[in-house]
Amino acid sequence: MKQSVKQTVLLTGCAGFIGSNFIKTITCRADVADKFDFVIVDALTYAGRLENIQKELDSNKHLSFVHADIRDSQKMHELFKKHNFAGVMNFAAESHVDRSIESPNIFVETNVLGTLNLLKESLALFEKNPNFRYLQVSTDEVYGTLQMEDPAFTESTPIAPNSPYSASKASADLLVRSFFETFKLPTVITRCSNNYGPLQVEEKFIPLMIKRALANEKLPIYGTGMNIRDWIYVDDHNEGVWKAFTSGKAGEVYNFGGNSERQNLDVAKMILKHLGKPESLLNFVQDRKGHDFRYAIDYSKAQKELNWNPTVKFEEQGLLRTIEYYRNLWAK
Ligand SMILES: NC(=O)c1ccc[n+]([C@@H]2O[C@H](COP(=O)([O-])OP(=O)(O)OC[C@H]3O[C@@H](n4cnc5c(N)ncnc54)[C@H](O)[C@@H]3O)[C@@H](O)[C@H]2O)c1
């Protein structure tokens, strides 16, 4: 991103898990704060908590917050007109697969139509500013599922989403791609594996397992627990997102992975072991409908083009840090 004077970037969905960590670790860095102001827009759904970022908002003049919904095209129009953004980073989404199976409509409304609103407003600003950038935070789930013997997803793996959540994210990715191909809007898409770390809503796998274990309650394990996820520490992911935004090539997709493929059952057992709880708390429940078996990410393009690497080791560092964070939060 070329610039000389301070520029304003729109961040959506940054009261949620990944975005609030992005506020803490990236936007508050001196080199970033010197160059950019950030306007954070969040609808504060059940997954967004203003208290996640209140300290940063109170103590950093270059951050401001607007309570707004990306589905609201008029509000987005007014916001873009007022701030003349130099770029957009879209973290906002409905993000839980189980909820998308129960109630898919909101996933299309926010993830697809909300993204379309941002793209249309971005295009209007790009027409006045050729250095405008748009970054879409996406997911490896758009690639579908792998078997054990399959190679990891690369950026050229065909999109084959299986859940309403991943279908909505893939649809948004295709719209982003179309704005690059049709209008040359400088877009970048990032696709990452499962994030873990502080400030995640308890419905997601790792905080749910920790919460149940701390309360000596049963830990629900879908199916046989053999499904495999690659885990990336949230700070590693956010470093990659920032690199992609500032130096990724327009029109490109970048994968980010944690080099940490683990079976769900093993992760649950690690949590129990660390908390000194018995494996009898494991409770095998009916499998998720259409449950993807395995995700694995080839992130060599980000290594080569963005000089990015995951730095946090899963068992030895990230998981322990995460367990301690939630233990302090919940163990009373
Ligand atoms: N968590 C993961 O493991 C993971 C993995 C891959 C990709 N992603 C993607 O990363 C992004 C962030 O995920 P997360 O885990 O932080 O999600 P999250 O559910 O924790 O947070 C989502 C945020 O978006 C906000 N939001 C939802 N609908 C909105 C709307 N209509 N308008 C404005 N704000 C709205 C919520 O209030 C919340 O603050 C999402 O795009 C998600 O698809 C997440």
Side-chain angles (χ1 to χ4, degrees):
M1 191 171 204
K2 293 183 201 122
Q3 62 170 95
S4 47
V5 289
K6 218 173 174 195
Q7 299 190 329
T8 306
V9 172
L10 172 66
L11 302 176
T12 70
C14 283
F17 164 48
I18 297 177
S20 60
N21 281 288
F22 183 85
I23 298 300
K24 289 176 199 306
T25 56
I26 305 290
T27 66
C28 293
R29 243 167 45 190
D31 61 314
V32 176
D34 284 349
K35 293 183 193 147
F36 297 95
D37 290 325
F38 296 94
V39 175
I40 302 159
V41 162
D42 199 295
L44 300 178
T45 68
Y46 78 95
R49 296 169 180 163
L50 198 51
E51 60 266 32
N52 287 350
I53 52 171
Q54 194 62 59
K55 202 172 102 208
E56 287 72 23
L57 287 170
D58 289 344
S59 53
N60 292 281
K61 281 202 199 75
H62 71 295
L63 302 178
S64 60
F65 181 79
V66 178
H67 185 192
D69 195 314
I70 63 167
R71 294 175 296 168
D72 184 341
S73 56
Q74 183 57 33
K75 185 83 187 176
M76 290 304 111
H77 182 65
E78 287 161 17
L79 201 67
F80 274 69
K81 215 168 154 198
K82 179 172 172 197
H83 291 282
N84 197 23
F85 298 120
V88 171
M89 303 181 76
N90 183 22
F91 292 85
E94 287 292 333
S95 67
H96 193 41
V97 174
D98 288 341
R99 286 176 184 260
S100 80
I101 294 168
E102 293 302 317
S103 313
N105 290 43
I106 184 76
F107 285 74
V108 174
E109 289 165 20
T110 286
N111 300 359
V112 187
L113 298 177
T115 296
L116 182 59
N117 286 337
L118 299 176
L119 287 168
K120 282 159 70 178
E121 294 303 330
S122 295
L123 190 56
L125 292 188
F126 170 59
E127 280 159 7
K128 292 184 272 171
N129 171 13
N131 293 323
F132 187 91
R133 302 274 288 179
Y134 179 96
L135 182 131
Q136 178 76 2
V137 179
S138 186
T139 166
D140 62 352
E141 298 192 30
V142 301
Y143 297 122
T145 184
L146 296 170
Q147 293 308 312
M148 280 312 286
E149 61 283 7
D150 291 333
F153 302 129
T154 70
E155 290 80 357
S156 47
T157 301
I159 285 176
N162 292 320
S163 71
Y165 162 69
S166 54
S168 70
K169 294 295 290 184
S171 305
D173 287 8
L174 293 177
L175 281 171
V176 173
R177 177 191 146 86
S178 78
F179 270 64
F180 172 74
E181 294 295 336
T182 306
F183 306 110
K184 304 294 171 244
L185 180 70
T187 60
V188 175
I189 296 172
T190 60
R191 295 186 181 138
C192 63
S193 50
N194 280 39
N195 283 227
Y196 69 105
L199 298 170
Q200 192 167 26
V201 172
E202 301 89 273
E203 66 187 4
K204 301 286 170 59
F205 185 73
I206 287 184
L208 178 68
M209 295 298 119
I210 298 170
K211 189 163 199 177
R212 292 289 175 89
L214 285 169
N216 297 311
E217 288 171 7
K218 293 282 186 191
L219 278 60
I221 306 291
Y222 281 141
T224 60
M226 298 298 149
N227 298 56
I228 294 169
R229 298 292 177 263
D230 172 58
W231 293 97
I232 182 171
Y233 195 70
V234 64
D235 293 350
D236 276 337
H237 174 223
N238 280 329
E239 187 64 38
V241 168
W242 183 245
K243 284 190 167 185
F245 180 67
T246 50
S247 53
K249 196 167 161 242
E252 295 292 315
V253 175
Y254 294 94
N255 283 351
F256 297 104
N259 200 21
S260 303
E261 279 184 61
R262 301 287 183 277
Q263 286 186 339
N264 290 343
L265 183 58
D266 287 341
V267 175
K269 284 182 181 173
M270 284 174 213
I271 291 168
L272 287 172
K273 187 168 174 212
H274 187 73
L275 291 173
K277 304 286 180 173
E279 289 191 6
S280 56
L281 287 178
L282 295 168
N283 182 28
F284 293 90
V285 299
Q286 189 175 19
D287 208 356
R288 169 188 280 167
K289 286 180 190 155
H291 200 178
D292 286 342
F293 175 63
R294 173 177 165 239
Y295 305 135
I297 280 262
D298 178 336
Y299 53 83
S300 52
K301 181 176 172 182
Q303 284 180 305
K304 270 190 235 114
E305 295 187 19
L306 302 176
N307 191 26
W308 176 89
N309 272 295
T311 62
V312 179
K313 292 193 174 67
F314 185 68
E315 283 89 346
E316 305 90 308
Q317 297 173 311
L319 188 62
L320 293 191
R321 214 184 284 171
T322 304
I323 293 172
E324 287 315 312
Y325 167 82
Y326 290 107
R327 195 209 306 248
N328 287 333
L329 194 67
W330 290 327
K332 300 239 168 60

